[in-house]
Structure formats: C-alpha cells, structure tokens
Amino acid sequence: GVDFPDALAAGAAAGHLDGSLLLTEPTVLLGSTAAEIVRLAPTRIVLIGGEDRISREVAAQIAALVPAAVTERIAGSDRYETSRLIATRFFTGAVAAYIATGDAFPDALVASSLGGAQGRPVLLVNGAATRLDPPTLTALKS
C-alpha cells in the first residue's frame, strides 16, 4: 500500500481470478486489512513483493488469520520482474497483455482494470527504454 507497481500488476490478476486486492503497510498489518482477510476467509493468499514490501512479520500475521489458507509470495528482483512473474503465474494462455511504464501509475492503473476484466496481464516496463528487454519478450512469448 506504500508504492504502486506491485499492486497494479497484481490488480489484473486479482480481477482475473475473482479475488480481492488488499493493501497494507510493509511492517504493520493494517487492522482494516486484517478484518477483511478474516471476513473473506480465503483458501489462497498471494503476497506480492519482497520482504521490503510485506515484511516476514506481517506475512506471518496474515497467515495466522486464516491458517488453512495456502500462502505464497511472488517477488522479483524489481517491479518489472515481479510483473513478469505475476503474468506467467496467473495468465497462462492469455491472448494479449497490457504493457505500461513501471515509473508512473496512471497508465498501469487503467491497464490493471482492463486486464482484470479481460483476463490479460499487465507487464511493467521501463518507459524510457527504446525497446523491450529480453525477459519481457520471453514473458510475452510464453
């Protein structure tokens, strides 16, 4: 809930899977988020981002709220890799993808909504680059 990239890439996956996207602080589980997790009683929880985004302690608190849920973490070395990991994990067989800059949120915000509704991943890229990087090309091909 502190920075936008992971949430925007994950938003499309949450919409695609009829899931919920909940935000929290990196080192403090917000009470409203904890209450919503309990209310939803999910069978699967996916933490997006590394321990700098959701600390090990917050992850343990989340897991303790619904002990029967399977909890996994998807985290790349940066926002771009995380978006690729989300795409390859949850969008196998997608016929299209949205590509948006990972440096600002407006374009990715729109793409995330569309991606969730249409079953298409959002891949974040360096908007200043003159071409797509090889890992993004590989993700698109897969």
Side-chain angles (χ1 to χ4, degrees), residues 8-17 83 86-88 90-99 108 110-123 140:
L8 292 176
H16 173 59
L17 299 170
S83 75
I86 292 167
T88 57
F90 297 113
F91 291 94
T92 303
V95 297
Y98 289 101
I99 298 174
V110 172
S112 182
S113 298
L114 288 170
Q118 298 173 346
R120 298 174 178 172
V122 174
L123 294 169
L140 286 169

Side-chain angles (χ1 to χ4, degrees), residues 126-133:
N126 177 347
T130 58
R131 60 180 47 149
L132 289 176
D133 58 284

